[in-house]
mmCIF file of all heavy atoms in Angstrom:
data_model
loop_
_atom_site.group_PDB
_atom_site.id
_atom_site.type_symbol
_atom_site.label_atom_id
_atom_site.label_comp_id
_atom_site.label_asym_id
_atom_site.label_seq_id
_atom_site.Cartn_x
_atom_site.Cartn_y
_atom_site.Cartn_z
ATOM 1 N N LYS L 18 94.494 115.217 95.926
ATOM 2 C CA LYS L 18 95.306 116.448 95.911
ATOM 3 C C LYS L 18 95.044 117.331 97.123
ATOM 4 O O LYS L 18 95.878 118.174 97.474
ATOM 5 C CB LYS L 18 95.013 117.241 94.629
ATOM 6 C CG LYS L 18 95.575 116.610 93.380
ATOM 7 C CD LYS L 18 95.382 117.486 92.153
ATOM 8 C CE LYS L 18 93.962 117.503 91.660
ATOM 9 N NZ LYS L 18 93.817 118.225 90.370
ATOM 10 N N SER L 19 93.893 117.154 97.755
ATOM 11 C CA SER L 19 93.513 118.021 98.860
ATOM 12 C C SER L 19 94.404 117.796 100.080
ATOM 13 O O SER L 19 94.696 116.664 100.453
ATOM 14 C CB SER L 19 92.050 117.757 99.228
ATOM 15 O OG SER L 19 91.686 118.509 100.354
ATOM 16 N N GLU L 20 94.838 118.886 100.687
ATOM 17 C CA GLU L 20 95.656 118.789 101.893
ATOM 18 C C GLU L 20 94.854 118.214 103.049
ATOM 19 O O GLU L 20 95.379 117.506 103.905
ATOM 20 C CB GLU L 20 96.204 120.173 102.272
ATOM 21 C CG GLU L 20 97.319 120.675 101.363
ATOM 22 C CD GLU L 20 98.561 119.794 101.425
ATOM 23 O OE1 GLU L 20 98.911 119.345 102.538
ATOM 24 O OE2 GLU L 20 99.164 119.547 100.376
ATOM 25 N N ASP L 21 93.567 118.541 103.072
ATOM 26 C CA ASP L 21 92.724 118.052 104.155
ATOM 27 C C ASP L 21 91.295 117.971 103.646
ATOM 28 O O ASP L 21 90.837 118.854 102.926
ATOM 29 C CB ASP L 21 92.808 118.994 105.358
ATOM 30 C CG ASP L 21 92.081 118.427 106.560
ATOM 31 O OD1 ASP L 21 92.110 117.199 106.734
ATOM 32 O OD2 ASP L 21 91.465 119.210 107.301
ATOM 33 N N SER L 22 90.589 116.897 103.966
ATOM 34 C CA SER L 22 89.212 116.734 103.520
ATOM 35 C C SER L 22 88.490 115.779 104.448
ATOM 36 O O SER L 22 89.065 114.769 104.876
ATOM 37 C CB SER L 22 89.167 116.191 102.088
ATOM 38 O OG SER L 22 87.835 115.882 101.715
ATOM 39 N N ASN L 23 87.235 116.107 104.768
ATOM 40 C CA ASN L 23 86.447 115.169 105.571
ATOM 41 C C ASN L 23 85.676 114.185 104.700
ATOM 42 O O ASN L 23 84.831 113.438 105.189
ATOM 43 C CB ASN L 23 85.482 115.928 106.497
ATOM 44 C CG ASN L 23 84.432 116.708 105.725
ATOM 45 O OD1 ASN L 23 84.557 116.900 104.511
ATOM 46 N ND2 ASN L 23 83.399 117.163 106.413
ATOM 47 N N HIS L 24 85.987 114.193 103.381
ATOM 48 C CA HIS L 24 85.313 113.294 102.445
ATOM 49 C C HIS L 24 86.183 112.096 102.056
ATOM 50 O O HIS L 24 85.790 111.289 101.219
ATOM 51 C CB HIS L 24 84.898 114.060 101.182
ATOM 52 C CG HIS L 24 84.030 115.240 101.472
ATOM 53 N ND1 HIS L 24 82.864 115.138 102.193
ATOM 54 C CD2 HIS L 24 84.182 116.557 101.162
ATOM 55 C CE1 HIS L 24 82.317 116.346 102.301
ATOM 56 N NE2 HIS L 24 83.096 117.211 101.698
ATOM 57 N N ARG L 25 87.339 111.989 102.653
ATOM 58 C CA ARG L 25 88.205 110.830 102.426
ATOM 59 C C ARG L 25 89.168 110.685 103.589
ATOM 60 O O ARG L 25 89.401 111.623 104.369
ATOM 61 C CB ARG L 25 88.985 110.977 101.120
ATOM 62 C CG ARG L 25 89.853 112.242 101.010
ATOM 63 C CD ARG L 25 91.277 111.990 101.436
ATOM 64 N NE ARG L 25 92.143 113.123 101.178
ATOM 65 C CZ ARG L 25 92.776 113.818 102.113
ATOM 66 N NH1 ARG L 25 92.596 113.525 103.388
ATOM 67 N NH2 ARG L 25 93.584 114.820 101.807
ATOM 68 N N LEU L 26 89.753 109.486 103.705
ATOM 69 C CA LEU L 26 90.850 109.246 104.633
ATOM 70 C C LEU L 26 92.072 108.910 103.796
ATOM 71 O O LEU L 26 91.985 108.123 102.847
ATOM 72 C CB LEU L 26 90.519 108.095 105.584
ATOM 73 C CG LEU L 26 89.297 108.319 106.488
ATOM 74 C CD1 LEU L 26 88.977 107.051 107.271
ATOM 75 C CD2 LEU L 26 89.534 109.487 107.442
ATOM 76 N N LEU L 27 93.219 109.496 104.133
ATOM 77 C CA LEU L 27 94.427 109.308 103.340
ATOM 78 C C LEU L 27 95.604 109.010 104.261
ATOM 79 O O LEU L 27 95.902 109.796 105.172
ATOM 80 C CB LEU L 27 94.713 110.554 102.502
ATOM 81 C CG LEU L 27 95.961 110.535 101.618
ATOM 82 C CD1 LEU L 27 95.889 109.388 100.605
ATOM 83 C CD2 LEU L 27 96.123 111.870 100.888
ATOM 84 N N TYR L 28 96.261 107.888 104.003
ATOM 85 C CA TYR L 28 97.392 107.457 104.820
ATOM 86 C C TYR L 28 98.600 107.286 103.912
ATOM 87 O O TYR L 28 98.512 106.643 102.854
ATOM 88 C CB TYR L 28 97.046 106.146 105.530
ATOM 89 C CG TYR L 28 95.766 106.270 106.328
ATOM 90 C CD1 TYR L 28 94.546 105.878 105.770
ATOM 91 C CD2 TYR L 28 95.764 106.817 107.602
ATOM 92 C CE1 TYR L 28 93.364 106.018 106.482
ATOM 93 C CE2 TYR L 28 94.582 106.971 108.323
ATOM 94 C CZ TYR L 28 93.381 106.571 107.749
ATOM 95 O OH TYR L 28 92.215 106.732 108.455
ATOM 96 N N LYS L 29 99.738 107.873 104.329
ATOM 97 C CA LYS L 29 100.907 107.950 103.448
ATOM 98 C C LYS L 29 102.149 107.356 104.112
ATOM 99 O O LYS L 29 102.368 107.519 105.314
ATOM 100 C CB LYS L 29 101.187 109.420 103.091
ATOM 101 C CG LYS L 29 100.050 110.098 102.337
ATOM 102 C CD LYS L 29 100.370 111.550 102.021
ATOM 103 C CE LYS L 29 100.186 112.427 103.253
ATOM 104 N NZ LYS L 29 100.321 113.874 102.922
ATOM 105 N N THR L 30 102.939 106.684 103.278
ATOM 106 C CA THR L 30 104.260 106.277 103.728
ATOM 107 C C THR L 30 105.127 107.524 103.871
ATOM 108 O O THR L 30 104.769 108.599 103.367
ATOM 109 C CB THR L 30 104.927 105.328 102.726
ATOM 110 O OG1 THR L 30 105.180 106.052 101.502
ATOM 111 C CG2 THR L 30 104.056 104.120 102.433
ATOM 112 N N ILE L 31 106.266 107.370 104.512
ATOM 113 C CA ILE L 31 107.219 108.471 104.475
ATOM 114 C C ILE L 31 107.777 108.567 103.054
ATOM 115 O O ILE L 31 107.600 107.655 102.237
ATOM 116 C CB ILE L 31 108.353 108.286 105.513
ATOM 117 C CG1 ILE L 31 109.248 107.104 105.111
ATOM 118 C CG2 ILE L 31 107.792 108.112 106.904
ATOM 119 C CD1 ILE L 31 110.538 107.047 105.910
ATOM 120 N N THR L 32 108.430 109.644 102.735
ATOM 121 C CA THR L 32 108.995 109.831 101.407
ATOM 122 C C THR L 32 110.027 108.738 101.112
ATOM 123 O O THR L 32 110.918 108.467 101.929
ATOM 124 C CB THR L 32 109.663 111.211 101.301
ATOM 125 O OG1 THR L 32 108.677 112.209 101.569
ATOM 126 C CG2 THR L 32 110.224 111.431 99.905
ATOM 127 N N LEU L 33 109.868 108.098 99.978
ATOM 128 C CA LEU L 33 110.763 106.991 99.623
ATOM 129 C C LEU L 33 112.184 107.500 99.376
ATOM 130 O O LEU L 33 112.377 108.484 98.660
ATOM 131 C CB LEU L 33 110.252 106.266 98.381
ATOM 132 C CG LEU L 33 108.858 105.628 98.462
ATOM 133 C CD1 LEU L 33 108.533 104.938 97.134
ATOM 134 C CD2 LEU L 33 108.764 104.641 99.615
ATOM 135 N N LYS L 34 113.152 106.793 99.947
ATOM 136 C CA LYS L 34 114.558 107.131 99.729
ATOM 137 C C LYS L 34 115.137 106.376 98.530
ATOM 138 O O LYS L 34 116.175 106.744 98.000
ATOM 139 C CB LYS L 34 115.370 106.823 100.986
ATOM 140 C CG LYS L 34 114.959 107.684 102.189
ATOM 141 C CD LYS L 34 115.761 107.308 103.415
ATOM 142 C CE LYS L 34 115.466 108.233 104.581
ATOM 143 N NZ LYS L 34 114.038 108.178 105.004
ATOM 144 N N GLU L 35 114.452 105.290 98.149
ATOM 145 C CA GLU L 35 114.846 104.505 96.974
ATOM 146 C C GLU L 35 113.601 104.126 96.191
ATOM 147 O O GLU L 35 112.485 104.149 96.719
ATOM 148 C CB GLU L 35 115.585 103.222 97.405
ATOM 149 C CG GLU L 35 116.915 103.452 98.088
ATOM 150 C CD GLU L 35 117.633 102.139 98.369
ATOM 151 O OE1 GLU L 35 117.106 101.073 97.947
ATOM 152 O OE2 GLU L 35 118.708 102.187 98.992
ATOM 153 N N ASP L 36 113.795 103.765 94.927
ATOM 154 C CA ASP L 36 112.676 103.278 94.121
ATOM 155 C C ASP L 36 112.094 102.024 94.763
ATOM 156 O O ASP L 36 112.811 101.214 95.365
ATOM 157 C CB ASP L 36 113.129 102.928 92.706
ATOM 158 C CG ASP L 36 113.577 104.149 91.910
ATOM 159 O OD1 ASP L 36 113.410 105.280 92.413
ATOM 160 O OD2 ASP L 36 114.084 103.961 90.786
ATOM 161 N N LEU L 37 110.771 101.860 94.613
ATOM 162 C CA LEU L 37 110.083 100.695 95.156
ATOM 163 C C LEU L 37 109.241 100.073 94.050
ATOM 164 O O LEU L 37 108.434 100.747 93.409
ATOM 165 C CB LEU L 37 109.196 101.099 96.329
ATOM 166 C CG LEU L 37 108.721 99.980 97.254
ATOM 167 C CD1 LEU L 37 109.907 99.336 97.983
ATOM 168 C CD2 LEU L 37 107.707 100.505 98.261
ATOM 169 N N HIS L 38 109.455 98.779 93.815
ATOM 170 C CA HIS L 38 108.813 98.080 92.702
ATOM 171 C C HIS L 38 107.632 97.266 93.220
ATOM 172 O O HIS L 38 107.797 96.314 93.988
ATOM 173 C CB HIS L 38 109.849 97.167 92.023
ATOM 174 C CG HIS L 38 109.357 96.525 90.768
ATOM 175 N ND1 HIS L 38 110.166 95.728 89.974
ATOM 176 C CD2 HIS L 38 108.154 96.539 90.143
ATOM 177 C CE1 HIS L 38 109.478 95.298 88.932
ATOM 178 N NE2 HIS L 38 108.242 95.761 89.018
ATOM 179 N N ILE L 39 106.421 97.629 92.779
ATOM 180 C CA ILE L 39 105.195 96.900 93.115
ATOM 181 C C ILE L 39 104.849 95.998 91.937
ATOM 182 O O ILE L 39 104.822 96.449 90.789
ATOM 183 C CB ILE L 39 104.038 97.870 93.412
ATOM 184 C CG1 ILE L 39 104.358 98.703 94.649
ATOM 185 C CG2 ILE L 39 102.727 97.124 93.586
ATOM 186 C CD1 ILE L 39 103.384 99.843 94.893
ATOM 187 N N SER L 40 104.567 94.718 92.190
ATOM 188 C CA SER L 40 104.245 93.789 91.111
ATOM 189 C C SER L 40 103.243 92.747 91.599
ATOM 190 O O SER L 40 103.579 91.891 92.415
ATOM 191 C CB SER L 40 105.507 93.086 90.597
ATOM 192 O OG SER L 40 105.190 92.180 89.556
ATOM 193 N N GLY L 41 102.012 92.846 91.092
ATOM 194 C CA GLY L 41 101.002 91.877 91.473
ATOM 195 C C GLY L 41 99.696 92.530 91.855
ATOM 196 O O GLY L 41 99.358 93.618 91.381
ATOM 197 N N VAL L 42 98.959 91.870 92.740
ATOM 198 C CA VAL L 42 97.612 92.317 93.120
ATOM 199 C C VAL L 42 97.632 92.799 94.562
ATOM 200 O O VAL L 42 97.839 92.010 95.494
ATOM 201 C CB VAL L 42 96.591 91.172 92.956
ATOM 202 C CG1 VAL L 42 95.196 91.644 93.354
ATOM 203 C CG2 VAL L 42 96.588 90.653 91.521
ATOM 204 N N ALA L 43 97.417 94.105 94.743
ATOM 205 C CA ALA L 43 97.299 94.661 96.090
ATOM 206 C C ALA L 43 95.918 94.317 96.645
ATOM 207 O O ALA L 43 94.949 94.157 95.897
ATOM 208 C CB ALA L 43 97.497 96.172 96.055
ATOM 209 N N LYS L 44 95.840 94.209 97.972
ATOM 210 C CA LYS L 44 94.582 93.829 98.621
ATOM 211 C C LYS L 44 94.263 94.800 99.749
ATOM 212 O O LYS L 44 95.159 95.235 100.483
ATOM 213 C CB LYS L 44 94.686 92.405 99.182
ATOM 214 C CG LYS L 44 94.971 91.338 98.128
ATOM 215 C CD LYS L 44 95.214 89.977 98.768
ATOM 216 C CE LYS L 44 95.435 88.894 97.726
ATOM 217 N NZ LYS L 44 96.656 89.134 96.912
ATOM 218 N N ALA L 45 92.980 95.119 99.851
ATOM 219 C CA ALA L 45 92.517 96.000 100.925
ATOM 220 C C ALA L 45 91.687 95.207 101.916
ATOM 221 O O ALA L 45 90.884 94.343 101.527
ATOM 222 C CB ALA L 45 91.698 97.146 100.349
ATOM 223 N N ARG L 46 91.900 95.490 103.180
ATOM 224 C CA ARG L 46 91.070 94.931 104.256
ATOM 225 C C ARG L 46 90.576 96.112 105.086
ATOM 226 O O ARG L 46 91.380 96.760 105.763
ATOM 227 C CB ARG L 46 91.870 93.949 105.114
ATOM 228 C CG ARG L 46 91.087 93.321 106.263
ATOM 229 C CD ARG L 46 91.961 92.312 107.015
ATOM 230 N NE ARG L 46 91.216 91.574 108.011
ATOM 231 C CZ ARG L 46 91.131 91.920 109.299
ATOM 232 N NH1 ARG L 46 91.770 93.016 109.731
ATOM 233 N NH2 ARG L 46 90.443 91.190 110.143
ATOM 234 N N ILE L 47 89.291 96.391 105.001
ATOM 235 C CA ILE L 47 88.745 97.591 105.634
ATOM 236 C C ILE L 47 87.600 97.197 106.566
ATOM 237 O O ILE L 47 86.648 96.530 106.141
ATOM 238 C CB ILE L 47 88.254 98.604 104.574
ATOM 239 C CG1 ILE L 47 89.428 99.038 103.693
ATOM 240 C CG2 ILE L 47 87.592 99.810 105.229
ATOM 241 C CD1 ILE L 47 89.043 99.901 102.513
ATOM 242 N N THR L 48 87.719 97.587 107.820
ATOM 243 C CA THR L 48 86.650 97.356 108.789
ATOM 244 C C THR L 48 85.929 98.673 109.012
ATOM 245 O O THR L 48 86.535 99.665 109.423
ATOM 246 C CB THR L 48 87.203 96.802 110.107
ATOM 247 O OG1 THR L 48 87.883 95.556 109.833
ATOM 248 C CG2 THR L 48 86.088 96.553 111.106
ATOM 249 N N LEU L 49 84.623 98.672 108.721
ATOM 250 C CA LEU L 49 83.883 99.932 108.708
ATOM 251 C C LEU L 49 82.487 99.767 109.272
ATOM 252 O O LEU L 49 81.937 98.675 109.346
ATOM 253 C CB LEU L 49 83.799 100.481 107.272
ATOM 254 C CG LEU L 49 83.147 99.600 106.199
ATOM 255 C CD1 LEU L 49 81.626 99.647 106.243
ATOM 256 C CD2 LEU L 49 83.622 99.995 104.808
ATOM 257 N N ALA L 50 81.916 100.906 109.642
ATOM 258 C CA ALA L 50 80.499 101.015 109.976
ATOM 259 C C ALA L 50 79.913 102.147 109.145
ATOM 260 O O ALA L 50 80.602 103.107 108.809
ATOM 261 C CB ALA L 50 80.318 101.290 111.466
ATOM 262 N N SER L 51 78.644 102.012 108.803
ATOM 263 C CA SER L 51 77.952 103.028 108.007
ATOM 264 C C SER L 51 76.734 103.518 108.779
ATOM 265 O O SER L 51 76.105 102.746 109.525
ATOM 266 C CB SER L 51 77.510 102.437 106.663
ATOM 267 O OG SER L 51 76.643 103.318 105.971
ATOM 268 N N ASN L 52 76.397 104.787 108.589
ATOM 269 C CA ASN L 52 75.188 105.309 109.232
ATOM 270 C C ASN L 52 73.943 105.062 108.386
ATOM 271 O O ASN L 52 72.851 105.484 108.752
ATOM 272 C CB ASN L 52 75.339 106.801 109.539
ATOM 273 C CG ASN L 52 75.382 107.657 108.280
ATOM 274 O OD1 ASN L 52 75.640 107.151 107.183
ATOM 275 N ND2 ASN L 52 75.117 108.956 108.436
#
């Protein structure tokens, strides 16, 4: 809900002009470094 936070990264699509149907297993691929 936060407009801005340094405790997360948030990436958004543009506002949908039509309904979008998701069905199945979404997958994340994240390349990261930790301190």
Side-chain angles (χ1 to χ4, degrees):
K18 288 185 286 187
S19 176
E20 287 297 320
D21 187 35
S22 173
N23 65 346
H24 304 305
R25 57 94 173 117
L26 298 174
L27 179 60
Y28 305 95
K29 298 179 282 187
T30 66
I31 68 168
T32 301
L33 300 181
K34 296 178 175 61
E35 295 185 4
D36 294 353
L37 197 65
H38 187 176
I39 296 171
S40 180
V42 180
K44 300 174 177 63
R46 180 177 187 266
I47 299 173
T48 301
L49 58 80
S51 170
N52 68 341

